[in-house]
Amino acid sequence: MRAWRPYALISVALACALGACPAAALAQPSPSLAAVASAIIPGLGQASYGDYEAAAAHFGIFAVSLSAALYYQHKPDFLSDDARYDSAGNREYINQTTLRSDFALRLATDTMLYSSFGAYRDARQRDDRAYRTPAPKESLSELALAPFSWEFLSRPTTFIPLALQAWGVSRSKYGYGIYRSHDVSTRDLHVYNVTANEFTAVGEEGFFRGFVNNEFSSRWGNGWGLAFSSLLFGIAHTGQGQTADAVEASIAGAYLGWMHQRNGFEIGEGVALHYWINVLAGIAAIRNGGSAPLLSLRVPF
């Protein structure tokens, strides 16, 4: 559950910062309130303005995936963080049960984030009040295809960071490694890497850029909006496992947020860059690991 809690806390903090808590009694919620509501309970924002079909779909995916994650976490061979990560923070161990829990929890978390963005996008398009920033418009299918769009991959703002990441990965032969048990194959890890990071790229870019950066840039201007969204993005990252720490994530968030503003507040290029950065990091971690018995990784380093 470590990935779910930071986003829930961030959503509550956003509700207060946006003045959404007092506004909850309004019959027609603001776009920001709809976004916060769906970040806490996926689909709630959609239901607040009558889109019950989308609300049911978002909540259903969230409920099923979270239930699956909890199911696997209660199995006897699920690895707790103490057994999974070494004290030096440069390797982890994974078995099939833990991998399945990770996948389900990733889907649940990113459903929360995408549902928030979707509620904000649709509510902004219905809102006739004046905003400094344009309403988001990208659909889920457009965002899912963004990492494979030549329009985005051919831009220097995307291919230069990716070239630097690829160069770093090619030289990182002794970096972070994922060590798998006998029931996990290298193929399993690669499939997880390319699919789960699709959820993350769409969900995180939708929430932190499509909602947070857009909304606060509209309220406070691009500079303060970028600073706030970058800080929240950093807070959401713990540095455990393959994830960036708070400082690294804040810097990455600032670049992605700047790119978002530069692109007229469209998030497609950010989704593409975010996805491939994560995939390349995952490939390096799989390559640096291997097959190993659990006992050897429980020995203190």
Side-chain angles (χ1 to χ4, degrees), residues 61-62 65-66 102-112 196 199:
I61 293 170
F62 171 75
S65 55
L66 182 60
D102 282 0
F103 186 87
L105 188 58
R106 184 85 74 98
L107 179 56
T109 301
D110 293 323
T111 298
M112 294 169 65
F199 306 151

Side-chain angles (χ1 to χ4, degrees), residues 91-297:
R91 59 166 58 183
E92 69 173 283
Y93 185 85
I94 195 78
N95 62 14
Q96 192 65 247
T97 294
T98 310
L99 184 65
R100 289 172 177 170
S101 173
D102 282 0
F103 186 87
L105 188 58
R106 184 85 74 98
L107 179 56
T109 301
D110 293 323
T111 298
M112 294 169 65
L113 299 180
Y114 176 76
S115 185
S116 176
F117 166 72
Y120 182 73
R121 175 197 61 207
D122 296 344
R124 275 287 303 270
Q125 291 174 357
R126 289 175 167 88
D127 197 342
D128 57 5
R129 290 175 295 181
Y131 288 83
R132 288 185 66 255
T133 57
K137 59 183 180 180
E138 296 100 329
S139 67
L140 177 59
S141 60
E142 289 172 330
L143 296 177
L145 293 173
F148 314 102
S149 168
W150 180 247
E151 176 189 356
F152 300 136
L153 296 176
S154 62
R155 296 178 183 178
T157 45
T158 296
F159 72 70
I160 291 176
L162 288 182
L164 293 173
Q165 174 77 343
W167 178 78
V169 164
S170 69
R171 297 177 60 85
S172 177
K173 297 182 179 179
Y174 305 102
Y176 190 86
I178 300 175
Y179 291 81
R180 51 190 172 78
S181 70
H182 64 86
D183 60 349
V184 177
S185 67
T186 302
R187 178 180 176 276
D188 292 335
L189 294 180
H190 283 299
V191 169
Y192 174 83
N193 186 37
V194 298
T195 54
N197 279 314
E198 174 84 357
F199 306 151
T200 297
V202 172
E204 291 191 357
E205 288 307 303
F207 181 79
F208 289 103
R209 258 62 69 181
F211 163 42
V212 178
N213 194 39
N214 190 314
E215 177 67 18
F216 282 94
S217 294
S218 179
R219 288 171 177 257
W220 301 338
N222 286 7
W224 285 111
L226 178 61
F228 187 78
S229 63
S230 303
L231 178 62
L232 280 186
F233 190 63
I235 291 171
H237 289 76
T238 63
Q240 186 177 53
Q242 286 182 261
T243 62
D245 61 30
V247 174
E248 293 169 338
S250 294
I251 294 170
Y255 181 78
L256 289 164
W258 166 81
M259 193 165 61
H260 175 229
Q261 294 174 346
R262 180 177 181 271
N263 290 336
F265 291 89
E266 295 182 357
I267 63 174
E269 185 179 2
V271 170
L273 178 58
H274 197 148
Y275 174 78
W276 288 111
I277 288 287
N278 284 3
V279 166
L280 288 171
I283 290 172
I286 295 169
R287 183 194 64 186
N288 292 337
S291 179
L294 176 59
L295 181 61
S296 68
L297 296 180

